[in-house]
Amino acid sequence: MGGIDSASVDFEGWTPEIVEREVRKACEACGTKYFIPCTSQGGPMSTFAGVYEKCGEEIDKMSKELFR
């Protein structure tokens, strides 16, 4: 579980493109076996508004791509 370092996505000045890149990198590196992608924050939250929700959107998008 994990794979997405919160510090790489949850900071002042984050962008949707940064979140997309980091989620993709984690999902492609870990593949589809025994891995639940999420941030390392430890719960359903982020320091900066919108980051947690955007990570969820990108994880959903990657799931559809990886689990065809």
Side-chain angles (χ1 to χ4, degrees):
M1 211 168 128
I4 305 164
D5 179 22
S6 290
S8 68
V9 294
D10 193 9
F11 59 90
E12 188 172 5
W14 73 274
T15 66
E17 294 81 16
I18 291 169
V19 173
E20 179 181 16
R21 181 187 70 224
E22 294 301 314
V23 169
R24 178 172 291 279
K25 184 169 43 171
C27 290
E28 287 178 345
C30 294
T32 59
K33 295 184 181 188
Y34 312 107
F35 173 66
I36 301 170
C38 65
T39 62
S40 59
Q41 183 81 354
M45 63 191 151
S46 57
T47 303
F48 294 91
V51 173
Y52 179 81
E53 293 77 13
K54 183 61 179 169
C55 282
E57 289 173 22
E58 292 302 324
I59 290 167
D60 287 345
K61 188 165 88 176
M62 284 303 303
S63 292
K64 290 175 184 153
E65 187 175 314
L66 292 171
F67 296 105
R68 296 184 236 180

